[in-house]
Structures are given as C-alpha cells and as structure tokens.
C-alpha cells in the first residue's frame, strides 16, 4: 500500500507559477508511470502530464510548454512545475502512481488561478 500526499496548491494570479509535489509513503522506483490529473467543477478528471519509468514525458496539449513534470526516486516524490498559469487551469490536481498491478491516487490539492 502506498499513500500519496499532494501539496503546493493555492491561489495565484494569471501568469503566475506554482510547484506541486506528490510525496509517496513508499518507493516509487518500480512505478511504470506516474501522472498528474486535474478535475475542474462539473468536468471529468483529465490527465495533465505523465512521466514513464524510462523518463519519457507526455503532456496534455493545453499545458505543453507551460508545465513540467519530474520525479525524484530518491525522495519518492513527483513534481509538477506550472508556469504561465491561466484561469482555465483552475482545478483540483491529483497525483497517480501506477505499478501496473496496482495504482494509487492522492486526495488532491486545489489550484485556483484568478484573472
């Protein structure tokens, strides 16, 4: 069982930056893929960014060039650097760690971008 805790959310003005962290209670070394997802009010949860075991990354089109996902296996932590934030980025952000047989979710952190 791995517990995930997100942090770093908050209220920021458009154009600002935030750095989200996802701390795992156990090793993430064997994770096949780790990702950040978000869910805005009235909308379905969507993938924002993912990082695979080999280091390859993928991003949702609307965040390409603005967000950067990374992972620190030694610290069992994943990050999401968010720059040039827009009001449409407002959502609860969740982290996910997929070990192939099992996957785990955090409880989320609120990101609110004011115009």
């Amino acid at each position: 069982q791995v517990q995930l805790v997100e942090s770093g959310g908050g209220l920021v003005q458009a154009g600002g930056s935030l750095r989200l962290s996802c701390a795992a209670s156990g090793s993430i070394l064997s994770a096949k893929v780790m990702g950040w997802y978000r869910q805005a009010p009235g909308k379905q949860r969507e993938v924002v960014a993912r990082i695979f075991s080999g280091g390859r990354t993928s991003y949702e089109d609307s965040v390409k060039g603005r967000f950067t996902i990374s992972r620190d296996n030694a610290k069992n932590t994943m990050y999401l650097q968010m720059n040039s934030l827009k009001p449409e980025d407002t959502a609860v952000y969740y982290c996910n760690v997929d070990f192939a047989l099992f996957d785990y979710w955090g409880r989320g952190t609120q990101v609110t971008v004011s115009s």
Side-chain angles (χ1 to χ4, degrees):
Q1 187 81 9
V2 174
Q3 294 183 337
L4 305 175
V5 178
E6 301 96 336
S7 62
L11 174 64
V12 64
Q13 288 187 335
S17 298
L18 286 173
R19 188 194 194 203
L20 304 184
S21 298
C22 172
S25 62
S27 174
I28 61 172
L29 190 62
S30 63
K32 302 302 181 184
V33 59
M34 300 179 66
W36 286 96
Y37 294 71
R38 66 186 179 188
Q39 187 167 18
K43 295 187 177 181
Q44 290 187 333
R45 189 174 298 188
E46 63 176 1
V47 61
V48 176
R50 292 186 293 175
I51 184 166
F52 298 84
S53 57
R56 181 175 66 88
T57 58
S58 67
Y59 297 91
E60 194 270 329
D61 285 346
S62 69
V63 308
K64 286 180 180 177
R66 300 189 297 122
F67 291 10
T68 302
I69 188 172
S70 61
R71 60 191 282 181
D72 186 333
N73 290 335
K75 295 183 178 180
N76 295 322
T77 302
M78 176 177 64
Y79 304 97
L80 185 68
Q81 178 66 43
M82 305 187 295
N83 299 328
S84 302
L85 282 161
K86 303 176 180 179
E88 50 265 42
D89 294 319
T90 295
V92 178
Y93 284 71
Y94 300 89
C95 64
N96 174 269
V97 177
D98 187 347
F99 293 94
L101 291 179
F102 303 98
D103 75 306
Y104 301 95
W105 290 90
R107 292 188 174 184
T109 184
Q110 176 70 47
V111 171
T112 303
V113 184
S114 63
S115 57

